[in-house]
Structure formats: C-alpha cells, structure tokens
Amino acid sequence: MRIAILDDYQNVARDLADWDSLGAAEVTVFTDHVADRDELVRRLAGFDVVVAMRERTPFPEPVLARLPDLRLLVTTGARNASIDVAAAARHGVVVCGTGYLPHPTVELTWALILAAQRHLPTEVAAMRAGGWQSTLGTGLRGSTLGLLGLGRLGSQVARVGQAFGMRTLAWSRNLTAERAAEHDVTAVSRETLVAEADVLSVHLVLSERTRGLIGAAELAAMKTTALLVNTSRGAIVDEDALVAALRRGEIGGAALDVYEHEPLPADHPLRSLPNALLTPHIGFVTRDVYEVFYRDAVADIAAFQAGTPTRVLTP
C-alpha cells in the first residue's frame, strides 16, 4: 500500500503518529502545496491512499476520475467541503474523516482580537527597532461582541468575551432566542448584529448559503471603528469588498486567519493594508490537534486495510 500525506507544511506527520503500525506500507510526505490539477494528478499517480490536510487540496470529480489507483481518501477533520464525496463514491474511493479539537481556533480568535485592538504588530516592531509607545489601544470591557454563528466555536468565543466584560450578540439562520440564552447571549437579526458589533467574529460553516455572507452592504453597515475577525472560512467574507472597505476606512480593521485562496498569494492586496492583521490559517495548527488528525488517519487506514472502514463520510 502506497500512502501520500499532503500539505504537511511543518513536516511533522511522521513524528505525531505510528505509521510503522501499518506494516509494509510506503508512506510519502509532501510538504509543499500543489495548486495545479495536472501536477497534482501526476504527483498522486500510483498511490492507494491519500491523507489530505483539511481543505488545502481540493478533490473534485475531474481529479478523482484521473486517480484510478486511489482507494482511500482520509481528510483531517469531520468534514471537507473541498472533497466531492459523491464523486469519490462513484469512483470507488472511500472517504474517511478524523477527530478534531475546537479550542485552538477559539484561542487564536482571541489572540487576533487582542493583537488588533492593542496594535501589537506595530508595537512589537517598534520595540525591535528601538522605539517606544506609538499607538493608542482599544479596550474590550463594555464593548459589543457580535458572533456570526453560535455553535461549538462561537459559544466558546462568547464565553471569553463575557469574561472580558463584553456584551454578546449572535445571529445565525437557525439560532433561537432560547438557544442563545443558554449561553447568556442575545439573539438578534443579522442587520442588528452587523450594525452594533464593535468586534464581529465569523464562526459559520462554509456553504452555498454562507458564501459571501459578509459583502459590501454589510461592511458599509458596520461601525467605522469595528473590527472584523474571520477564523472560519475565507469565502464567507467577500474578499474584494473587504479590501475596498479597508482601503476606504469604512471599518476599523480586519483580523484574518482564512482566505478565499490559500496559501494567500504573495502579491495579494490584503498583505499591504496596514489595518489588516493576517495569520496563515493556523487556527487549528497546534500539536494537540495534529496528534488527533494523524493518529486518527493511521487508525482509518488500518480499519480500511482490515475491511472495516471507520468514520466514513457520505454524500
């Protein structure tokens, strides 16, 4: 059995799981990202198993159709919008998932909020250059935290905001007042959420209903001092509209860990905007999460070898 591990940017997969337990399997780790479909197909020719890291490498039907040797596709996490699971089934490819830990993304969300509100990148750079105080920060107590989504992640983000003394509001299509109250959060309309939030944080799953949910109209309705935070999926925010809003100063700033196209192109305009705080999609990139990912991937492969696939994803 030939196994390909994709997009292991830190080259840690071998150290975080017991791949030797799979017997005579040949494991190949790829630490770079391949965006071109033809190159990806050439790279994966002859592999029986592919382990994909989240949505970094898409597997639509045109790719799956050109990988006749592929029998098992393991995605880290419990879902993957970049894999056409129905097409995989048609081509005889079993798709399995792994466990996941939500707390690291919650932690990074607050790292971004605090860093942006207290201008940490600017102050750290000034200290390294021999400077001293140069900015005026914004406190959180008494301000309003708006949450797009109040699921596993959004509810934990809310709890931290409440510890800071923030008023917490939330919206999602299916959120009820009763469900929000369970987390001491007030459910409001999307229009109210966008207009009243001092910090607006995105915690929704990407779908056709949420793609572009925050666009030019929503950005224009936000406070000119508001911070937009996205640690969910880049395409939920209209990136072109966000760049335009930041350039015009329509909002105070953006703190982003996710982007519509990843890795973010080196010449992308977001990289040059002083009111955009950017991290390279590291919300889930922690040792404890990766240990779950790769250990479960090994278990998925072993179960598949034994004829009893586990954590199988269905269309």
Side-chain angles (χ1 to χ4, degrees), residues 100-111 153 156 231 257 282-290:
Y100 181 68
L101 300 175
H103 65 267
T105 300
V106 174
E107 294 165 1
L108 184 76
T109 297
W110 280 103
L153 294 173
Q156 292 184 49
T231 57
D257 186 48
I282 55 173
F284 65 96
V285 183
T286 63
R287 177 173 293 275
D288 49 352
V289 172
Y290 272 37

Side-chain angles (χ1 to χ4, degrees), residues 44-95:
L44 296 182
F47 282 100
D48 308 284
V49 179
V50 169
V51 178
M53 176 56 73
R54 309 296 285 142
E55 287 93 3
R56 288 175 182 172
T57 297
F59 283 89
E61 179 149 27
V63 170
L64 292 164
R66 297 170 63 190
L67 298 173
D69 297 312
L70 183 62
R71 295 185 290 139
L72 174 65
L73 178 54
V74 178
T75 175
T76 53
R79 63 168 68 92
N80 190 324
S82 292
I83 295 176
D84 188 335
V85 179
R90 289 194 294 272
H91 290 282
V93 178
V94 176
V95 182

Side-chain angles (χ1 to χ4, degrees), residues 148-307:
L148 276 168
L150 195 63
R152 282 194 308 166
L153 294 173
S155 59
Q156 292 184 49
V157 172
R159 192 153 56 246
V160 177
Q162 290 158 0
F164 278 121
M166 300 180 76
R167 170 188 179 222
T168 49
L169 309 178
W171 173 88
S172 68
R173 281 187 171 86
N174 300 317
L175 181 64
T176 64
E178 293 74 20
R179 172 65 177 162
E182 293 175 7
H183 300 285
D184 296 322
V185 174
T186 301
V188 295
S189 68
R190 182 156 60 109
E191 293 75 17
T192 298
L193 185 79
V194 168
E196 296 190 9
D198 295 296
V199 176
L200 181 62
S201 192
V202 181
H203 302 286
L204 295 170
V205 174
L206 178 62
S207 69
E208 288 309 308
R209 294 198 305 173
T210 61
R211 184 178 296 275
L213 187 68
I214 300 298
E218 290 73 25
L219 292 164
M222 291 175 66
K223 296 178 180 180
T224 57
T225 55
L227 174 70
L228 174 66
V229 184
N230 191 2
T231 57
S232 181
R233 289 295 180 269
I236 296 174
V237 177
D238 182 328
E239 219 162 71
D240 292 337
L242 177 59
V243 168
L246 290 170
R247 282 176 170 163
R248 291 193 295 262
E250 289 183 357
I251 62 174
L256 309 173
D257 186 48
V258 291
Y259 312 91
E260 186 163 1
H261 300 289
E262 298 182 358
L264 187 68
D267 59 351
H268 196 285
L270 278 171
R271 291 184 183 265
S272 62
L273 294 174
N275 51 354
L277 173 60
L278 312 178
T279 51
H281 202 159
I282 55 173
F284 65 96
V285 183
T286 63
R287 177 173 293 275
D288 49 352
V289 172
Y290 272 37
E291 285 175 346
V292 171
F293 281 172
Y294 288 126
R295 289 175 184 175
D296 282 2
V298 169
D300 286 351
I301 297 168
F304 180 80
Q305 285 179 316

